C-alpha cells in the first residue's frame, strides 16, 4: 500500500472526478435500495388486500377490491421502473467519472515514466533489458490503472452499500440479517483465492506466449540461417514443444475458470435459502412480514456482487502495489550525469583529455587508463587501435554518455561537466559505431538531429557524405522508406546515412566512430575526400581500426588496451618506426594482396 501512495498526487490532481464519482456511487445505491422497499410494500399490500378480497367472496364489492389491488401494483411497478432508470443513469455517471479518471492518470503516468527513462544515462539501459523497460510502461502501468479505476470504483460501491443497507437490515431483524449474510465472507474469501490462482496461471500463460512469440520472431528473422543449415524440422519441433506448453497452461486455467461461477452461484444460492428459511420462521413467529423476506432476498443479491468484488479488488490492489513498486524503483533511479553550472554557449571545439581513466560502472572493465591528449579548435585527430582498445569509449566520453572515473575532460578550457547537456550534445555530431536508423524515410533519418531543417541542408549533407548518388538510384529518392516494410540498405549505405545525419545538424565537433568499417578502402577514400570540406572548421575525431582513415587527420593517437602508446602526425609516427608504422605497413600489404587477387 505504501508504494501506491505515490499515486496520490494524481488522485489529487483529478480530485473533482474522484469526488463526483463518490457522490454518484452513493446516489446510484439510493436508487438501488428504494425498489427493494417498494417490493416489500407491494407484497405486504397485496397480501393484506387479498384477505379482504376473500372476505368479500360472493359480493359485488369483490371486483372493486380487485381493481384497487391491480391499480396499486401498477403504480408500484411504474415507480420501480423509474428507479431502475435513474439508477442506470447514475451508474453511467459513476463510470464516466471514476474510470475516466483512471484513464487520465494512466496517460500521465506513462508519460512520466517515458520522460524519466529518456533522461537516464546509458548505463541504465545496459543494466535493464528492453523487455523490462517495455513491461514497466505497458503492463505495470495497466495494472496500476486497474487499481485506480475498477478497484476504487467497486471499493467505494461496497463501502457505501454496506453503510446504507446493513444498518437498515439490522433494524428490521438482526437474526435474519445475520443468517442472510453468513455465506458472504466465504464468498469473498473464495473469490480472493480463486482469483489469485487465475492471475498466477494467466501470468504463466502470458510468459509462455511471449516465449512463443520471441521464438517465432527469431525463427523468421533468422530464416536465412535456418534454411541454409536445413534446420526447419528441428525448428518445428522446438515450436511444437513451446506450443504444447502454452496449450497445457491454457487448459489448466480453463479448469479454474470453470469452477469459478458455479462456486459463486452456490454460495449465493445458500444465502437465499437461509433467508427464505429463517425469514419463514420469523414470519410464523410474527416478527416480520412476507414483504420483508422479499426485500431481504433483494438486499442479499445486491450485496453479493460487491462482496464478490471485494476478493477481486484485494487481489487487484496487491498486484497494483507490486507493479507500482517496480515503477517506483525505476522512477527513483537517478541520473548522475547532470550539470550544475549549465553553461550554454557556442563551442569553439578545443578538447583536452587530462589523465583520464574510465572503469565502466556496470562491467567493471577498465576501458581507458590515464589518457591525455589535446585537440585544437577545428583540428582533426585520428584515434587508431585494435578492437577493444577503448576507441569507442573516448567517443562516449566526448558526448558525455559517461563521466571519467579519474581525470578531467576540458572543452574550450572548461570542464565538460559544466556545460548544459542539451547544449553540449546539441553541438556534437556523433556517428555511432553501430548504426541505428529509424523505420522512416531517408530524408527524415538525415533530418533527425535538427528541428525545422531545410531540404537543402539534407541534400548538402548527403552530398558531403557521398550518399547523394546512391539515393538518386532508389525508387522514391529521399522519400524511400527504410527498415520494416521499406528497403534494406547495405552496411556501407547505412553508415553513410548515419554520417549525413551527423553533419546535417552542422555541429562544432564531429565524432566519427569507426563509421567506414563497412566500406572498402577505395570507397573510404572517396568518402573521406568529400568529408574534407565538412571537416574544415570543425573539430573532428576520426576513430578507426584502419590506418588508412588516419591520413587526413592533423594528428594521430594510437591506442592499445586502454593506453596511448604513440601520438603525433603521420610523418612523425612513420619516422618513429614504432607500432603505427608496423600497423601501417601490415595493413597496406594486406590491401595490396587483396587488389592483386
Ligand atoms: P573499441 O571501440 O576500441 O573496440 P571499446 O571502447 O568499445 O573498444 O571497448 C573497450 C572495452 O570496454 C572493451 O573491453 C569493452 O568490452 C568494454 N566496454 C565497452 N563499452 C562498454 C559499456 N558500455 N559497458 C561496459 N563495458 C564496456
Ligand atoms: Mg569501437
Amino acid at each position: 500500500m505504501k508504494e501506491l501512495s505515490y499515486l496520490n498526487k494524481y488522485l489529487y490532481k483529478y480530485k473533482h472526478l474522484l469526488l463526483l464519482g463518490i457522490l454518484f456511487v452513493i446516489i446510484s445505491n439510493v436508487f438501488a435500495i428504494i425498489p427493494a422497499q417498494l417490493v416489500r410494500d407491494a407484497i405486504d399490500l397485496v397480501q393484506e388486500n387479498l384477505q379482504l378480497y376473500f372476505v368479500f367472496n360472493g359480493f359485488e364489492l369483490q371486483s372493486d377490491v380487485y381493481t384497487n389491488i391491480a391499480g396499486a401494483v401498477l403504480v408500484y411497478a411504474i415507480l420501480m421502473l423509474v428507479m431502475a432508470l435513474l439508477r442506470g443513469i447514475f451508474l453511467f455517471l459513476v463510470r464516466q467519472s471514476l474510470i475516466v479518471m483512471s484513464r487520465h492518470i494512466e496517460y500521465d503516468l506513462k508519460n512520466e515514466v517515458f520522460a524519466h527513462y529518456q533522461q537516464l544515462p546509458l548505463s541504465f539501459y545496459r543494466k535493464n533489458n528492453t523487455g523490462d523497460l517495455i513491461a514497466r510502461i505497458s503492463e505495470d502501468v495497466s495494472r496500476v490503472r486497474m487499481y485506480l479505476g475498477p478497484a476504487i470504483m467497486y471499493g467505494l460501491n461496497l463501502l457505501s452499500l454496506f453503510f446504507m443497507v446493513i444498518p437498515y437490515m439490522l433494524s428490521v431483524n438482526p437474526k435474519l440479517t445475520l443468517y442472510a449474510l453468513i455465506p458472504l465472507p466465504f464468498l469473498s474469501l473464495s473469490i480472493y483465492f480463486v482469483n489469485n490462482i487465475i492471475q498466477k496461471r494467466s501470468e504463466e500463460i502470458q510468459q509462455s506466449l511471449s516465449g512463443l512469440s520471441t521464438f517465432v520472431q527469431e525463427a523468421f528473422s533468422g530464416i536465412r540461417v535456418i534454411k541454409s543449415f536445413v534446420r526447419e524440422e528441428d525448428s518445428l519441433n522446438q515450436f511444437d514443444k513451446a506450443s504444447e506448453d502454452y496449450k497445457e497452461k491454457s487448459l489448466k486455467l480453463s479448469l479454474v475458470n470453470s469452477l469459478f461461477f458455479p462456486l459463486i452461484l452456490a454460495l449465493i444460492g445458500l444465502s437465499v435459502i437461509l433467508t427464505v428459511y429463517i425469514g419463514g420462521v420469523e414470519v410464523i413467529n410474527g416478527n416480520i412480514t412476507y414483504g420483508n423476506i422479499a426485500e431481504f432476498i433483494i438486499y442479499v443479491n445486491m450485496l453479493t456482487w460487491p462482496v464478490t468484488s471485494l476478493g477481486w479488488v484485494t487481489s487487484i490492489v496487491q498486484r497494483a502495489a507490486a507493479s507500482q513498486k517496480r515503477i517506483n524503483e525505476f522512477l527513483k533511479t537517478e541520473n548522475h550525469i547532470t550539470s550544475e553550472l549549465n553553461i550554454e554557449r557556442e563551442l569553439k571545439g578545443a578538447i583536452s583529455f587530462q589523465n583520464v581513466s574510465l572503469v565502466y560502472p556496470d562491467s567493471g572493465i577498465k576501458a581507458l587508463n590515464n589518457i591525455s591528449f589535446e585537440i585544437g579548435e577545428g583540428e582533426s585527430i585520428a584515434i587508431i587501435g585494435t578492437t577493444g582498445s577503448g576507441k569507442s569509449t573516448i567517443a562516449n566520453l566526448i558526448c558525455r554518455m559517461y563521466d571519467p572515473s579519474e581525470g578531467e575532460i576540458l572543452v574550450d578550457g572548461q570542464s565538460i561537466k559544466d556545460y548544459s547537456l542539451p547544449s553540449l550534445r546539441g553541438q556534437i555530431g556523433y556517428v555511432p559505431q553501430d548504426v541505428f536508423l529509424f523505420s522512416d524515410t531517408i530524408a527524415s533519418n538525415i533530418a533527425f538531429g535538427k528541428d525545422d531543417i531545410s531540404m537543402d541542408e539534407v541534400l548538402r549533407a548527403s552530398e558531403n557524405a557521398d550518399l547523394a548518388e546512391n539515393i538518386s538510384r532508389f525508387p522514391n529518392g529521399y522519400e524511400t522508406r527504410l527498415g520494416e516494410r521499406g528497403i534494406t540498405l547495405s552496411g556501407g549505405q547505412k553508415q553513410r546515412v548515419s554520417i549525413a545525419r551527423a553533419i546535417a545538424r552542422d555541429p562544432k565537433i564531429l565524432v566519427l566512430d569507426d563509421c567506414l568499417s563497412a566500406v572498402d578502402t577505395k570507397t573510404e577514400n572517396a568518402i573521406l575526400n568529400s568529408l574534407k570540406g565538412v571537416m574544415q572548421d570543425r573539430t573532428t575525431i576520426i576513430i578507426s581500426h584502419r590506418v588508412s582513415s588516419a591520413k587526413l587527420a592533423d594528428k594521430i593517437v594510437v591506442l592499445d588496451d586502454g593506453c596511448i602508446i604513440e601520438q603525433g602526425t603521420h610523418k612523425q609516427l612513420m619516422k618513429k618506426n614504432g607500432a603505427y608504422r608496423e600497423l601501417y605497413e601490415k595493413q597496406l600489404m594486406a590491401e595490396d594482396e587483396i587488389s592483386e587477387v
Side-chain angles (χ1 to χ4, degrees):
M1 277 317 276
K2 211 179 78 228
E3 302 288 346
L4 289 175
S5 65
Y6 182 80
L7 298 165
N8 290 350
K9 66 173 186 191
Y10 286 122
L11 289 176
Y12 186 73
K13 179 176 172 194
Y14 294 104
K15 56 183 179 301
H16 56 288
L17 284 176
L18 184 59
L19 291 175
L20 273 179
I22 295 174
L23 186 70
F24 292 146
V25 165
I26 294 173
I27 297 177
S28 73
N29 282 333
V30 169
F31 288 123
I33 291 171
I34 295 175
Q37 310 196 333
L38 291 176
V39 167
R40 177 199 62 204
D41 290 346
I43 288 182
D44 286 346
L45 180 124
V46 170
Q47 197 243 338
E48 278 159 24
N49 282 291
L50 265 185
Q51 286 167 355
L52 204 64
Y53 179 78
F54 290 124
V55 168
F56 284 106
N57 214 348
F59 291 86
E60 231 172 67
L61 235 53
Q62 199 182 25
S63 67
D64 281 352
V65 174
Y66 181 83
T67 352
N68 271 345
I69 298 177
V73 169
L74 186 68
V75 171
Y76 276 113
I78 291 173
L79 271 177
M80 280 192 274
L81 212 65
V82 172
M83 294 295 146
L85 211 67
L86 284 171
R87 177 163 189 238
I89 292 173
F90 279 97
L91 279 180
F92 168 77
L93 291 175
V94 166
R95 287 185 166 268
Q96 277 299 303
S97 44
L98 292 176
I99 302 293
V100 164
M101 171 188 82
S102 73
R103 289 292 182 192
H104 278 298
I105 299 182
E106 179 187 28
Y107 167 82
D108 287 356
L109 188 61
K110 265 189 187 161
N111 282 341
E112 185 187 344
V113 174
F114 190 79
H116 187 75
Y117 276 171
Q118 284 211 316
Q119 54 112 14
L120 287 174
L122 281 189
S123 53
F124 172 80
Y125 291 92
R126 283 185 65 97
K127 258 182 273 171
N128 300 287
N129 61 40
T130 320
D132 263 356
L133 301 188
I134 296 174
R136 293 301 154 273
I137 212 165
S138 56
E139 261 169 61
D140 283 329
V141 172
S142 302
R143 283 190 198 160
V144 168
R145 189 202 73 85
M146 287 299 281
Y147 151 70
L148 292 164
I152 286 187
M153 183 171 79
Y154 291 121
L156 283 174
N157 190 37
L158 177 68
L159 267 181
S160 81
L161 260 187
F162 251 75
F163 282 110
M164 291 161 81
V165 172
I166 292 186
Y168 176 76
M169 287 170 85
L170 285 171
S171 76
V172 174
N173 188 310
K175 190 175 157 200
L176 184 56
T177 308
L178 195 71
Y179 278 102
L181 298 186
I182 281 177
L184 295 190
F186 294 103
L187 183 61
S188 190
L189 267 178
S190 44
I191 300 286
Y192 172 71
F193 284 119
V194 172
N195 200 47
N196 272 352
I197 298 176
I198 290 184
Q199 294 299 356
K200 220 176 78 199
R201 301 218 166 145
S202 314
E203 253 155 58
E204 281 174 12
I205 289 181
Q206 203 54 46
Q207 254 171 23
S208 172
L209 191 64
S210 88
L212 200 64
S213 40
T214 312
F215 177 82
V216 171
Q217 199 196 355
E218 209 160 79
F220 291 129
S221 52
I223 191 73
R224 262 196 280 184
V225 182
I226 291 181
K227 275 189 188 293
S228 56
F229 283 79
V230 204
R231 302 306 299 172
E232 288 98 334
E233 205 159 308
D234 179 56
S235 178
L236 177 62
N237 284 340
Q238 280 185 39
F239 179 78
D240 190 45
K241 236 204 263 158
S243 234
E244 176 81 29
D245 177 64
Y246 175 74
K247 184 186 82 185
E248 258 157 35
K249 286 184 173 148
S250 302
L251 292 182
K252 261 169 78 185
L253 176 67
S254 70
L255 179 71
V256 186
N257 268 336
S258 335
L259 290 174
F260 196 64
F261 277 101
L263 181 75
I264 297 180
L265 291 179
L267 285 168
I268 296 175
L270 191 62
S271 249
V272 173
I273 292 173
L274 279 172
T275 312
V276 172
Y277 176 72
I278 304 290
V281 173
E282 290 290 290
V283 170
I284 293 171
N285 291 342
N287 292 336
I288 55 169
T289 64
Y290 291 114
N292 287 129
I293 299 183
E295 182 187 20
F296 264 58
I297 290 177
I298 298 180
Y299 289 145
V300 167
N301 272 306
M302 240 159 75
L303 285 172
T304 31
W305 168 238
V307 168
T308 312
S309 70
L310 183 66
W312 187 58
V313 164
T314 319
S315 74
I316 290 184
V317 171
Q318 280 179 347
R319 283 154 49 83
S323 288
Q324 186 62 41
K325 188 171 169 222
R326 286 192 289 263
I327 295 175
N328 287 347
E329 270 165 22
F330 273 19
L331 288 179
K332 266 188 235 138
T333 315
E334 272 176 39
N335 180 13
H336 48 89
I337 301 201
T338 50
S339 170
E340 270 170 26
L341 295 182
N342 272 315
I343 297 176
E344 288 190 24
R345 69 163 177 240
E346 201 168 317
L347 300 181
K348 296 200 186 80
I351 300 174
S352 158
F353 272 57
Q354 303 189 336
N355 306 100
V356 171
S357 297
L358 178 75
V359 177
Y360 275 111
D362 39 326
S363 65
I365 290 174
K366 187 159 194 171
L368 290 180
N369 190 4
N370 199 15
I371 293 239
S372 304
F373 64 87
E374 308 264 342
I375 317 167
E377 290 168 25
E379 265 183 9
S380 56
I381 190 169
I383 297 174
I384 307 289
T386 49
T387 356
S389 56
K391 304 181 302 290
S392 297
T393 305
I394 291 183
N396 277 339
L397 289 176
I398 292 175
C399 298
R400 210 171 163 221
M401 296 297 175
Y402 292 87
D403 278 334
S405 335
E406 280 166 57
E408 204 173 14
I409 300 169
L410 304 180
V411 177
D412 294 345
Q414 182 99 30
S415 166
I416 196 170
K417 293 181 186 174
D418 294 339
Y419 290 95
S420 117
L421 266 181
S423 159
L424 175 80
R425 288 185 187 153
Q427 297 181 66
I428 297 177
Y430 173 46
V431 185
Q433 182 168 12
D434 39 356
V435 177
F436 183 83
L437 300 179
F438 296 93
S439 302
D440 203 338
T441 61
I442 295 183
S444 312
N445 265 294
I446 296 176
F448 176 76
K450 196 171 161 190
D451 294 330
D452 37 75
I453 187 170
S454 72
M455 197 57 205
D456 269 353
E457 286 172 284
V458 171
L459 292 181
R460 201 163 347 115
S462 35
E463 201 70 59
N464 286 330
D466 200 24
L467 184 69
E469 201 213 308
N470 275 278
I471 294 179
S472 66
R473 274 186 268 130
F474 292 143
N476 297 321
Y478 283 86
E479 294 308 310
T480 307
R481 290 192 76 84
L482 303 181
E484 267 178 43
R485 295 206 202 94
I487 63 161
T488 312
L489 297 182
S490 76
Q493 287 168 335
K494 279 186 197 157
Q495 287 187 331
R496 272 174 279 168
V497 174
S498 185
I499 295 174
R501 171 160 71 197
I503 54 186
R505 69 195 307 211
D506 194 17
K508 282 318 277 189
I509 299 171
L510 188 60
V511 181
L512 307 170
D513 188 356
D514 236 344
C515 64
L516 295 174
S517 56
V519 298
D520 54 84
T521 27
K522 226 162 94 192
T523 321
E524 179 183 28
N525 273 333
I527 298 172
L528 284 174
N529 274 330
S530 49
L531 276 178
K532 239 189 226 163
V534 181
M535 285 161 52
Q536 211 136 57
D537 48 353
R538 293 173 221 278
T539 306
T540 311
I541 294 109
I542 304 169
I543 293 174
S544 176
H545 63 280
R546 278 204 301 237
V547 276
S548 53
S549 315
K551 280 175 301 204
L552 276 179
D554 300 321
K555 196 171 168 188
I556 296 162
V557 166
V558 185
L559 268 188
D560 185 40
D561 205 12
C563 301
I564 294 183
I565 47 172
E566 274 177 13
Q567 60 177 315
T569 60
H570 176 71
K571 262 193 197 147
Q572 286 169 346
L573 292 182
M574 286 306 278
K575 219 185 262 168
K576 208 170 160 197
N577 242 343
Y580 179 77
R581 184 172 181 143
E582 196 185 329
L583 212 62
Y584 187 81
E585 279 166 0
K586 213 158 66 186
Q587 288 188 3
L588 270 192
M589 223 149 69
E591 229 168 81
D592 283 347
E593 273 167 26
I594 289 171
S595 49
E596 270 167 32
V597 169

